[in-house]
Amino acid sequence: MNLTADIALAHRLADAARAAIRPHFRSGLAAERKGDATPVTLADRAAEEAMRAILVAEAPDDAIHGEEFGATNGTSGRTWVLDPIDGTAAFLAGRPLFGTLIALVVEGWPVLGVLDQVILDERWLGVTGKPTTLNGQPVRTRPCAALADATLATTGPHYFDSHDGEHFMGLAATTDHKRMVMGGDCYNYAMLASGHLDLVCEANLKLHDYAALVPIVEGAGGTMCDWNGDPLHAASDGRVLALGDPARLEDVIEALACQH
């Protein structure tokens, strides 16, 4: 891998997505419903098309996995994973809590991630083995002395089925649940990486929802894993945890498992 070139390419992808998304924010843009009932807009599609055009021209041997236009095969063992607008519902509501997610996955493992928030002009970059940065400046997660002190975030309870929801509520009950944050999508993970949240718990995520976030959170000193504590990869089941303080991992796993 040529990390310098890959990082530069990831920034160009994020810049292209910004240019496609910004004009549509708070414009009254209409939305359609996809097969899973989630919303999609012209901005989602335009941003992914702009990124794909760059990848086809500059990295033709790499595979592409995008939320809106699916997967194309490659020969390099590398896959660029694209989520043009993670948090389309927030985007449609005029809330700047969405983000463009760009990941480079090598042999199934995320090694580079970008989270770009176009309206707030914030860009997190995570690369395996390097410190995570926000607009070029290093960021760190914060320590959490006990799970009872942890601020927990999730996109929303309606994203859990009844079984997973019971486990989530069991975890929530052991945290500082009066400060629990609902909503935020990928932006919650950025806030965790920057030291403003302690824990994110989600279920039913797809690869494009979490791949970019792994190197961002881990490069800031945190950890990301599934609900069993295993590292996240391309075949993970979509149950995702992010912790700012890895010392709390056993406590979190125990709290999730104890609720039946």
Side-chain angles (χ1 to χ4, degrees):
M1 288 180 62
N2 184 339
L3 277 177
T4 300
D6 289 331
I7 291 168
L9 176 54
H11 280 301
R12 289 196 296 277
L13 297 176
D15 290 341
R18 278 191 172 204
I21 292 167
R22 188 188 296 274
H24 298 293
F25 184 63
R26 296 181 180 170
S27 68
L29 188 67
E32 302 173 19
R33 293 285 180 177
K34 295 190 287 190
D36 61 0
T38 58
V40 62
T41 71
L42 173 64
D44 297 79
R45 291 175 175 141
E48 185 169 322
E49 287 174 333
M51 291 189 285
R52 281 177 175 270
I54 293 171
L55 289 171
V56 168
E58 298 189 26
D61 295 332
D62 294 348
I64 304 173
H65 175 113
E67 179 182 13
E68 307 306 338
F69 296 104
T72 59
N73 294 327
T75 58
S76 65
R78 296 156 40 103
T79 303
W80 290 92
V81 181
L82 311 174
D83 190 344
I85 300 180
D86 183 83
T88 301
F91 173 80
L92 286 166
R95 303 177 68 198
L97 299 179
F98 60 93
T100 297
L101 296 178
I102 300 162
L104 176 59
V105 175
V106 178
E107 302 296 344
W109 297 95
V111 299
L112 182 156
V114 169
L115 190 165
D116 190 63
Q117 214 309 308
V118 51
I119 306 304
L120 301 177
D121 192 25
E122 295 176 329
R123 183 175 296 175
W124 286 262
L125 171 68
V127 181
T128 297
K130 295 181 178 292
T132 293
T133 59
L134 165 58
N135 294 347
Q137 298 301 310
V139 293
R140 293 292 296 177
T141 60
R142 68 186 185 190
C144 181
L147 193 53
D149 300 325
T151 300
L152 169 65
T154 193
T155 300
H158 51 293
Y159 290 101
F160 297 102
D161 62 25
S162 59
H163 176 266
D164 288 346
E166 289 181 3
H167 286 269
F168 171 80
M169 292 306 296
L171 171 63
T174 68
T175 67
D176 187 359
H177 56 277
K178 296 294 186 181
R179 297 179 61 188
M180 186 165 59
V181 174
M182 292 285 183
D185 297 277
C186 64
Y187 201 73
N188 288 332
Y189 299 82
M191 292 298 94
L192 182 142
S194 293
H196 305 297
L197 292 171
D198 301 299
L199 176 61
V200 182
C201 180
E202 310 267 27
N204 297 310
L205 298 190
K206 306 292 194 303
L207 180 62
H208 57 258
D209 295 314
Y210 64 80
L213 303 171
V214 174
I216 291 172
V217 168
E218 295 187 346
T223 190
M224 283 188 69
C225 58
D226 65 18
W227 286 16
N228 294 316
D230 296 324
L232 296 174
H233 50 83
S236 293
D237 67 4
R239 295 180 177 90
V240 168
L241 292 169
L243 295 90
D245 189 340
R248 301 278 72 78
L249 178 58
E250 289 188 11
D251 301 331
V252 172
I253 299 297
E254 181 180 359
L256 275 172
C258 283
Q259 183 67 27
H260 291 286

